Amino acid sequence: MSSQEAALLTPHVSQTDVPVEGILTEDKKKFKTCSQIGFYRRQKLLLQGPSPYHADLEMLVVDNGIATLQIINQDTKVPLQVQIISCKGIFRLKINEISPLKPRYEVPDVIVKDLAAERLNVSQRESGCIVLENPNGPYKLHITAQPFSVSVTADDKLLLSLNSQGLLYFESLVSPQSKSATLESDSEVTKDEYGLWSETFGEFVDIKASGPASVGLDVSLHGFEYVYGLPEHADTHRLKNTEHNDAYRLYNLDVFAYKTYDKMGTYGSVPLLLAHKPTQTCGLFWLNASETLVEINTRAAPQPSLSRSVPDTRKQRAIPQTEVRWMSESGIVDLFLLMGPSPQDVFRQYANLTGFQSLPPLFSLGYHQCRWNYEDEADVEAVDLGFDLNNIPYDVIWLDIEHTDGKRYFTWDREKFCNPTRMQEKLKQKKRKLVVISDPHIKVDPDYSLYSEAKARGYFVKDRGGQDFEGNCWPGTSCYLDFTNPAVQDWYSAQYALDSYKDSTEVLFVWNDMNEPSVFDSPEMTMPKNAVHYKGWEHRDLHNLYGFYQQMSTFKGLMQRSAGQERPFVLTRSFFAGSQRYGAVWTGDNKADWEYLKISVPMLLTLSVTGISFCGADVGGFVGDPEPELLIRWYQAGAFQPFFRAHAIQDSKRREPWLFGEDNTLLIKKVIEERYTLLPFWYLLFYRAHVSAQPVMRPMWVEFPKHTESFEEETQYMLGSALLVVPVLAPGVSSVDILFPGSGERWYDFRKYECVRGPHRKKVKVTLNEIPVFQRGGSIIPLHTRVGRSTGWMDEFPYELRVALDSKGFAEGELFLDDGHSFNYIQENVFAHRKFAFQRNVLSSSSADPKGKYQLESIVERVHVMGVKKQPVEVNVHSSGVKTSVAFTYSAKLCLLSLESLSLCVSADWEIHIRDKL
């Protein structure tokens, strides 16, 4: 190494310190508990029992597939309208005021298209009950009048019930003039201790201009013991029973170094719950963007019956039953029942509502190097060179807030980054990319053009007095763009144009952080609920949508920058249902601690089953300094998770992969290289997520829905349906306990080719060199035979097919290829989608989609076939009418057939014939 190279590799030391006392601290007292939330305390006054709501079934109307009826609260005499819509295995239930004092907030922009209502027939009508039936499916809706409830059956078996516990809750809007009457209606709330019109938390007072507006509903899941979903929480994958004042909270917050195994909400919210049993999977999607709390209680209950006669409890057998209680601060009841019946059916139904995972550009599936902060252009160059000198591939280097001019986004610190265009050009020459941060707060500075223009246009969120809301964040006093306003979205998107964002280039992509939004000097470090948005909506109505809208606007900006030709990459910290359409999500400010490595797995599994496949956790932990063993184990886990980025806080020690000694560098290098060899498989998985909503990273129960032992498994997982990954999640581990599920399944060690048969648990020895990875019998995995300095160098690299035979000697797989960056795969059918199959001793390659026009020079260079029981006597390739003999090796011990030095066109049809007898 030359002296110049050595100087470039010397870690830089930060010359500036951000005043973060009180901000970057682990203080749970900054945030509310359930008992401090007014609408939760009010709803908890309503106890289980007969509902006060009765339905007027005589007035039920079915028109164009929509059933409409009225229900009336017998205590308040306030009527509500109920709508029920059926569409392809989905039922939508909406409850709203018939004549509200003013409109109630209904979440826009999340549902990608309105449900095409299917026919609903009244199949049965008797005293106090009506049955609605969709002729295209097995499901029936039983609507009971007194008290009002809705039950769903399939083949006369009860699956779920709404309001069977009598917890439907709906606070009708009243005028401020009625405030005193509201308070006086109950002697226990005369001092507004339940937060009807104002609510105090610490020194902050939330004045509620519209008064109480909370909604809630209970859902009973009959026969279901296992429920999942409701991100984001640093908790187990399977949702646990909630105790009093311990509900799952969905409220997007900037929670630094969040507590593990806790139901407190963190950065994002997806109000989707999945229920699973061996015979059925279903989903509950609660479309509400206000603060939401969810209580869960799983218990044994008598098997329910729809019979109106009194059951003989002595003859009823007990079955599991899970009660789910949804409670939101405002809005309406808008609940989607996703009836499955398989896990994949639920994923597809949810994606049809909220959108499919965007197909990411290939570079974003490589390795990302980030810290707060790479100090200047020399630092960026040094880190970039370090990867080359150590022969470690990577694709993206990231710049945090210090790259800007005083935290003014869309600018550069001209002392540290004097020529950003040249810096990006150097990265481009190496086929690498740059990601920069862009937060939603805008520094209050009349000389800052972004601020002055937004202020002049009225584009900031207002306070309750009608002035621009000002709060404190990284730049100091800041205003916050109102991304709920379409004009603001368009204006913000336009800032990413190359002629607007000075010294940006087409290799620059974006990271949206602090977009919960984070406000350091406001209640719970977020925007006050009584701040005012576009059309007068209070922030309380739409809080959980704020980050969703910023990411959407950023995504559109990068789309417009390339005139719709290039795929954007946008990472967001805050998210909501539908965020999968716009990019990636990560789990925020984790710690360099083993418990955070461990909790990252269930957190990512939960994101994955709720539509967000492109997710990851900061490798090494953001806060603190990881010991070498932890860092290595985190790299090994992160390389087998969808979004693969290392990140570190400002004052942590530098931790580029080559700074931990030669032996550790080699181990980190090895696993990063393994990530790159598997890029064809990763890209295929994202294509499947993009077109059919199949999660990339899957909990075991998704792939083995009848194997009950897999239902609580969260220390191992599947990538697609083919790879079983078992990260090492504790220090000093010499063996791990692995569940090999599936009756008759075969599992092959991905590196050693040894076979294990399921179903059973087995202790597998491990060393620091690697984590266990097994390929499922019946699968074919495509991978590269070598790696480049980044994904951009690997377009024409040769391929290997890893064939794992099942017990019947069969296997199949796919490969999806395109240019990896544009939308030509949609617009011009410039793609190649190949199908591989092994049966009757023949491995074949054929087109999976004849529309594809992508022609490649790449070849399949190597094939490994695991599970070959007999040594072949001859192997021949049949291609273009020509038969060619192929050399091979065979291991009887491993039952492994290896074909090397092949030259088969990856986009052509061909067959490999294996003869095992003369």
Side-chain angles (χ1 to χ4, degrees), residues 64-66 84-90 92 111-120 134 136 336 352-353:
N64 293 323
I66 302 175
I84 299 173
I85 305 170
S86 171
C87 177
K88 297 181 180 178
I90 300 172
R92 184 179 193 178
I111 303 301
V112 291
K113 57 183 177 182
D114 290 333
L115 291 179
E118 294 181 332
R119 184 177 167 191
L120 277 175
N134 181 338
N136 299 324
F336 295 81
N352 284 334
L353 290 173

Side-chain angles (χ1 to χ4, degrees), residues 620-664:
F622 176 64
V623 182
D625 298 306
E627 60 187 277
E629 182 187 5
L630 173 60
L631 185 65
I632 291 165
R633 289 305 193 197
W634 215 319
Y635 267 103
Q636 291 169 342
F640 286 92
Q641 292 166 352
F643 177 57
F644 185 27
R645 181 185 77 156
H647 188 30
I649 198 170
Q650 186 178 41
D651 293 326
S652 63
K653 297 176 183 177
R654 295 293 286 254
R655 59 169 91 149
E656 284 72 38
W658 52 87
L659 297 179
F660 293 83
E662 183 177 356
D663 290 344
N664 293 328

